[in-house]
Amino acid sequence: MVIYKTEEEIELIRASAKVLAQAHGEVAGMIKEGITTRALDQRAEEFIRDHGGLPSFKGYNGFEYSLCISPNSVVVHGFPSDYQLKSGDVVSVDCGVLLNGYHADSAYTYPVGEVAPEVLKLLEETKKSLYLGIDQAVAGNRMGDLGYAIQNHVEKQGYGVVRELVGHGIGQKLHERPEVPNYGKRGAGLKLQEGLVLAIEPMVNLGTKSVVQEKDGWTIRTKDFKPSAHFEHTVVVRKDKAEILTSFEYIEKALQ
């Protein structure tokens, strides 16, 4: 069942989204050569709890961490570890916050040090595709319009759009209906209505769209080991223009 949110519920999600955006900013300020991904995870959890929230991911289906941290060819669901970031890496940081009974979810992919130009372009175009998808999250459009906007943009660049992983509805549960594919056919799928809150999250590979799951049961990586990028916002469908509840503002300030 698709759950449409009241304005009161949207305000609760907005409050979660603000703590989430600030937590992302804390992590962004730490990303540099030599930092361990475990240190990033610890800082995020500390910040979220200090601000009255809970990390949405920790304990979710047995996941043991507050962040999914996915370097290079890892698409999503990577475990924080003692891995030290090095120049040339790109790293996706995905985080969720539960506050006052409602979740928000967002992700950002960072370059570390000197990154190859073609990989920087992958990040740029994937981020751009997120906003093209968000532009379609207005009442009266179809889910296929959203997916098509993302897919059409990134495939024109020669990239692969992951099929096995999709965005999702979000609210009192981290993952709610409907699924939000990053590919689709214009005019197809669920008709979008006001009050629908979605986590829109393009996952785009430099090479093949094909992915594999590692033996840990969580980590998803590209089949050809080429880099992947992942950007995500929590968004509410509105009448004329989608409203973005999460923010990259604190990330961008930290990266200046």
Side-chain angles (χ1 to χ4, degrees), residues 209-239:
K209 67 180 183 291
S210 301
V211 296
V212 295
Q213 186 175 55
E214 301 285 14
K215 292 179 181 178
D216 61 27
W218 282 98
T219 306
I220 305 289
R221 65 162 176 82
T222 57
K223 191 172 184 180
D224 59 8
F225 289 97
K226 290 184 179 180
S228 184
H230 177 210
F231 290 85
E232 177 182 18
H233 271 312
T234 296
V235 172
V236 57
V237 174
R238 297 293 194 186
K239 185 176 180 181

Side-chain angles (χ1 to χ4, degrees), residues 100-161:
N100 299 322
Y102 286 82
H103 295 272
D105 190 2
S106 70
Y108 197 95
T109 303
Y110 299 89
V112 182
E114 295 296 321
V115 173
E118 64 268 23
V119 180
L120 288 176
K121 183 171 171 59
L122 170 69
L123 270 57
E124 177 186 341
E125 300 299 344
T126 302
K127 186 178 179 184
K128 191 179 294 182
S129 79
L130 168 62
Y131 290 101
L132 291 172
I134 290 170
D135 285 344
Q136 297 300 314
V138 294
N141 279 0
R142 299 274 179 175
M143 191 66 79
D145 297 325
L146 196 162
Y148 175 84
I150 294 169
Q151 179 185 8
N152 183 58
H153 179 73
V154 297
E155 287 186 348
K156 278 182 178 177
Q157 316 294 326
Y159 304 141
V161 180

Side-chain angles (χ1 to χ4, degrees), residues 19 45-55 97-101:
V19 173
E45 179 172 2
E46 178 183 67
F47 183 91
I48 292 165
R49 293 186 185 278
D50 284 350
H51 288 77
L54 294 171
V97 167
L98 172 63
L99 183 70
N100 299 322

